[in-house]
Amino acid sequence: FFFLLGIFVISHGLSSAAVLDLTENRAGLQVLRSRRSSVLPVRMTTDIKTEIPDVLKSIIARKEEEVAKLKAEVEAAGPDHPIAKRLAGENEVSGIFYSALKRPNNTLTVIAEIKRRSPSKGHIAYIKDPALLSRTYWDAGASCISVLTDYEGFGGSLDDLREVVAEQQTFKDEYPPPCPVLRKDFTIDEIQIAEAAVAGASAVLLIVSALGEKRTKELMDACERIGMEALVEVHDEDELKIAIDCGAKIIGVNNRNLRTFEVSLETARRLKPLIPDDVVSVAESGISGNLDAWELRDMGFNSILVGETLCRAYELSTEAATMYQRGYNQAKGLIMAFKAKGSVEFGPTTSAAFYGKGEGAKETLGEMSI
């Protein structure tokens, strides 16, 4: 496997880590399913008109090994393993993720992401305490939190997710309530969905470009049985049609082209009119400031998913703090700016005012500092 991956990397002039970052998505894998016995995964074939991009193929191969190890671990532990129990039972879907994102028209919600590094860009933020960062997100008004659990490319883990879930549950008697958590990893098998559920996640991500129509539907059905919601990601009209036909209730439009790796909000502009009104629409990638967020809001999107921008801002705030005063958190300022009822046409020429520095930012964000 590593020999073949090395050939791919050399031929494309990329590191294996860079390949992972360029998609910042998930991959798919066909498996033979059995509730009573363990089975080994086999490579999937997609029914999408176009072939799976090579970058996703390499990720599928890596995730295939991880899934096989997890299945062996669960099988060895027997039917009392928490994941085995989750797979065997029928679980009700709470709908909390959908409800957190679906707000009145022209109200934008934010899925704030926790990401330590980007394989092609390197270090983003140390995030020594993901639970503390999730508290900042909650305090700023984020509706949901996305936690990367892939270690090789992003330095994440399921422990990060567990810590975030535990921190959010401390707000269960407060307003706003705890943020539902999305497990952001390359979901290729129902056992990963069950693993996410046991860890406390409310939703997982399914990528149509890697799964195809049949497999996307199978994993959506698995989410229903396991009691999880799915954010179904698309990149073009064909994938969007598949997501809608499969009954997706939450659809994410990724503005990154998986073949050219270019990012453009025009993808969101093109696909948004095709998404049914009762489906939650989420814009992903290419959101670097409040004007981008307001533009997507004006397109009609219900929510945006933002990672790198927020994590970098959070780290900058840490560096700016002094022994006398904790600096206004820039990540908090950005989330509040994303949600503000600002105007793209008459907004500031720069988003600097919303990064939490200076009295103008505090006044604009509706905060008072003494």
Side-chain angles (χ1 to χ4, degrees):
F1 162 73
F2 289 105
F3 173 74
L4 294 176
L5 181 58
I7 294 177
F8 167 79
V9 168
I10 293 172
S11 65
H12 287 71
L14 298 169
S15 68
S16 60
V19 169
L20 180 59
D21 178 63
L22 287 171
T23 62
E24 294 188 8
N25 292 306
R26 311 294 179 273
L29 163 67
Q30 179 70 50
V31 297
L32 298 177
R33 194 179 161 275
S34 173
R35 285 183 169 275
R36 304 301 178 185
S37 61
S38 175
V39 292
L40 292 177
V42 297
R43 286 196 177 277
M44 66 169 284
T45 56
T46 179
D47 46 16
I48 296 179
K49 294 179 181 179
T50 56
E51 293 184 358
I52 299 177
D54 288 341
V55 289
L56 288 184
K57 290 179 182 178
S58 65
I59 294 170
I60 288 172
R62 178 165 63 84
K63 287 297 170 179
E64 180 181 33
E65 293 187 352
E66 294 180 14
V67 167
K69 291 178 181 178
L70 178 59
K71 286 189 174 185
E73 175 187 331
V74 173
E75 181 182 20
D80 290 333
H81 192 288
I83 294 178
K85 288 182 177 180
R86 193 79 184 205
L87 285 170
E90 295 290 336
N91 304 273
E92 183 178 353
V93 178
S94 68
I96 189 174
F97 199 81
Y98 178 98
S99 298
L101 299 178
K102 185 70 169 178
R103 299 293 171 83
N105 291 338
N106 299 320
T107 299
L108 189 69
T109 59
V110 178
I111 304 175
E113 188 163 85
I114 295 176
K115 175 164 60 176
R116 288 190 176 88
R117 64 174 182 254
S118 171
S120 66
K121 298 181 181 180
H123 170 79
I124 293 175
Y126 289 109
I127 312 181
K128 296 179 180 179
D129 189 344
L132 182 60
L133 175 53
S134 80
R135 175 179 285 269
T136 298
Y137 285 164
W138 171 85
D139 185 50
S143 294
C144 299
I145 295 174
S146 169
V147 180
L148 283 149
T149 60
D150 180 84
Y151 178 76
E152 180 173 320
F154 298 92
S157 69
L158 269 178
D159 285 337
D160 290 342
L161 188 145
R162 295 185 185 101
E163 290 175 17
V164 169
V165 169
E167 178 69 19
Q168 291 300 306
Q169 287 307 305
T170 64
F171 309 130
K172 63 182 180 180
D173 296 324
E174 300 184 33
Y175 183 85
C179 294
V181 179
L182 167 74
R183 181 189 183 182
K184 195 173 185 186
D185 205 315
F186 301 99
T187 307
I188 61 175
D189 188 272
E190 66 174 13
I191 198 169
Q192 293 171 292
I193 301 172
E195 182 184 40
V198 170
S202 298
V204 294
L205 189 100
L206 304 178
I207 300 184
V208 175
S209 62
L211 299 172
E213 183 172 7
K214 180 180 179 182
R215 189 58 179 155
T216 297
K217 179 60 175 173
E218 289 174 349
L219 291 182
M220 287 179 61
D221 290 344
C223 284
E224 288 284 336
R225 290 191 305 272
I226 295 169
M228 294 282 281
E229 296 176 78
L231 171 58
V232 182
E233 184 174 282
V234 303
H235 301 81
D236 57 33
E237 287 82 356
D238 289 338
E239 294 175 13
L240 177 57
K241 184 178 186 305
I242 288 174
I244 294 172
D245 291 345
C246 288
K249 297 178 181 178
I250 309 172
I251 294 179
V253 176
N254 194 324
N255 292 302
R256 187 185 305 277
N257 186 308
L258 292 184
R259 289 175 172 77
T260 66
F261 311 124
E262 295 178 352
V263 177
S264 172
L265 296 187
E266 289 306 309
T267 302
R269 189 184 304 279
R270 193 178 74 249
L271 297 186
K272 178 60 184 76
L274 306 178
I275 301 176
D277 291 339
D278 62 337
V279 173
V280 167
S281 54
V282 181
E284 309 170 22
S285 299
I287 304 160
S288 58
N290 55 289
L291 294 183
D292 293 328
W294 296 350
E295 183 176 356
L296 290 163
R297 177 206 62 203
D298 292 345
M299 291 180 198
F301 277 89
N302 300 112
S303 186
I304 55 175
L305 191 155
V306 189
E308 180 180 336
T309 299
L310 290 178
C311 291
R312 288 192 185 280
Y314 180 79
E315 179 145 294
L316 285 173
S317 296
T318 301
E319 293 175 354
T322 69
M323 64 180 295
Y324 301 105
Q325 177 181 347
R326 180 179 179 182
Y328 185 89
N329 192 280
Q330 296 178 21
K332 178 179 179 180
L334 273 174
I335 292 174
M336 296 177 71
F338 292 158
K339 297 172 60 182
K341 299 291 185 180
S343 166
V344 173
E345 182 178 359
F346 299 105
T349 57
T350 174
S351 61
F354 288 86
Y355 277 68
K357 290 184 177 179
E359 296 304 314
K362 296 171 186 176
E363 178 183 351
T364 303
L365 295 171
E367 293 206 353
M368 180 177 292
S369 178
I370 299 177

